[in-house]
Amino acid sequence: MVAARGAGASARTKVAIPQLAWHAVRPAPIVLVSGAEDVLAERAIGMLRDFLRSEDPALEVSDLEADGYRRGELLTLASPSLFGEPRLIRVSGVEKSSDDFLLDALEYLEQPADATTLVLRHRSGVRGKKLLDAIRAGGGGGIEIVCAELKKDAEKQDFVVAEFRAAGRKIAPGALRALVGAFSDDLRELAAASRQLLSDAPGDITEAIVAKYYGGRVETNSFAVADAAIAGRHGEALIALRHALDSGADPVPMVAAFAMKLRTMAKVSGSRGSGGQLASSLGMAPWQVDRARRDLAGWTDAGLGVAIETLAQTDAAVKGAERDPVFALERLVGVIAARGRR
């Protein structure tokens, strides 16, 4: 059961109903969808609709906006129809409810309509707290779907895995890390990228497939750390590293950012010719060649070799060879910044 942390939850409120994760949504007379993460809420409500429709294709779906609600609308939609079709009533903006909606909803909790699922979407805030408290206390026999913001990479990886599992597909661990690393700043973009892979790429998703579709997309925090270290700005690189880690960045994609930069530098090091010529022979874009040449300023071949050896040690460390992956990353930053100082 998810901890009681939904929108409007109070430490004084006794929660007597199941509080479930978004992917564990199931039918109930009242389904409270709480929390600020709209993508998860949309997924949960969509999954619930699809399940109810699979149970009965005659499902009637109705939508209400709680802030523009007029007295009696909910009871009218929930009243039995001539043919007795099941009903799904979705109410958005409960955190902005009109007084009329709150009155009708509290009345509805006392006797929910048969064969009707009422979904209440509440993002945050204290508006509607009396209604939320009544639901959480067991009124109407409901459940709560908690859609808190996903801040850590591990939480976002769980989201992607659930997306693929729901589609009967798998994604390789390395591909999962790369995908989340590329879209960690925006869950909606991450969800869209996952859907594109599911739609366009057959079979299980590998690192190569993710690289094919999203190889040009970078995770800003990781590359900011790498850029500062390669330029010899040790203090700036450490500050960026700690900020990235505090924001939930995963050490593995961060090492991958260093690897991408150093591999490109190694390819370009010692090569002559225009950016366009080298790009063609090395299988790179011209801008990548130009950027690598700028990064190489102040570097020696010996320093590049030491950096690449330390990178290999760090890659093993963050994947379990050492107990402290953060120390391994700090060590890597120090080694690279010392070689790149200019």
Side-chain angles (χ1 to χ4, degrees):
M1 181 178 290
V2 177
R5 50 177 178 155
S10 166
R12 297 186 300 274
T13 303
K14 181 179 179 181
V15 178
I17 61 174
Q19 290 184 302
L20 309 175
W22 66 274
H23 52 78
V25 64
R26 58 178 173 79
I30 310 293
V31 179
L32 170 62
V33 181
S34 64
E37 193 56 83
D38 290 327
V39 174
L40 301 186
E42 291 166 9
R43 284 288 186 279
I45 295 170
M47 290 169 62
L48 179 60
R49 177 204 59 210
D50 292 345
F51 177 83
L52 292 172
R53 189 162 281 159
S54 71
E55 292 285 298
D56 192 332
L59 177 73
E60 247 185 55
V61 181
S62 303
D63 292 294
L64 291 172
E65 295 181 4
D67 55 343
Y69 179 88
R70 294 182 179 180
R71 195 76 194 268
E73 289 180 311
L74 173 59
L75 302 181
T76 298
L77 289 175
S79 61
S81 68
L82 180 63
F83 301 102
E85 301 95 342
R87 299 187 174 210
L88 171 63
I89 303 173
R90 302 177 298 198
V91 183
S92 61
V94 176
E95 71 278 3
K96 301 178 289 185
S97 296
S98 67
D99 290 339
D100 283 347
F101 176 78
L102 294 176
L103 288 170
D104 276 2
L106 285 166
E107 180 181 333
Y108 182 84
L109 290 186
E110 297 176 5
Q111 191 173 358
D114 293 337
T116 297
T117 300
L118 175 63
V119 176
L120 304 176
R121 174 71 180 114
H122 189 287
R123 295 188 81 256
S124 62
V126 298
R127 180 65 175 168
K129 184 179 182 300
K130 183 177 180 180
L131 173 62
L132 269 58
D133 286 351
I135 294 170
R136 289 177 175 138
I143 62 173
E144 181 174 5
I145 306 302
V146 181
C147 299
E149 288 186 82
L150 304 187
K151 297 182 178 179
K152 297 181 179 179
D153 280 1
E155 295 173 331
K156 295 169 187 175
Q157 289 176 9
D158 289 342
F159 167 77
V160 173
V161 169
E163 291 275 271
F164 278 80
R165 185 183 297 121
R169 303 276 292 282
K170 294 181 180 179
I171 181 169
L176 175 63
R177 289 192 294 268
L179 185 62
V180 171
F183 295 96
S184 65
D185 289 338
D186 191 322
L187 189 64
R188 194 171 293 281
E189 288 190 358
L190 178 60
S194 299
R195 288 198 302 273
Q196 182 177 2
L197 289 174
L198 286 168
S199 173
D200 296 349
D204 293 345
I205 302 301
T206 64
E207 289 181 72
I209 293 174
V210 172
K212 175 184 175 182
Y213 279 80
Y214 303 116
R217 179 70 182 244
V218 298
E219 200 287 304
T220 304
N221 286 341
S222 297
F223 281 86
V225 177
D227 286 341
I230 288 169
R233 302 191 297 270
H234 187 207
E236 180 182 329
L238 280 179
I239 291 172
L241 172 65
R242 287 162 186 160
H243 174 74
L245 293 172
D246 289 344
S247 299
D250 189 313
V252 174
M254 298 193 73
V255 174
F258 276 96
M260 184 180 297
K261 300 281 289 185
L262 291 175
R263 278 198 303 266
T264 305
M265 290 167 64
K267 285 182 180 181
V268 174
S269 179
S271 300
R272 295 184 178 182
S274 68
Q277 291 171 333
L278 279 180
S280 178
S281 63
L282 296 175
M284 300 164 58
W287 69 265
Q288 290 177 305
V289 174
D290 294 340
R291 178 59 192 263
R293 281 177 164 168
R294 291 197 300 270
D295 288 339
L296 281 164
W299 281 76
T300 64
D301 289 344
L304 191 56
V306 170
I308 291 172
E309 289 178 0
T310 307
L311 175 69
Q313 296 170 2
T314 307
D315 184 63
V318 299
K319 293 177 180 176
E322 296 183 16
R323 293 183 178 180
D324 191 343
V326 173
F327 174 76
L329 275 170
E330 291 175 342
R331 181 179 61 205
L332 175 66
V333 167
V335 169
I336 291 179
R339 268 69 188 173
R341 190 168 292 122
R342 52 187 184 271

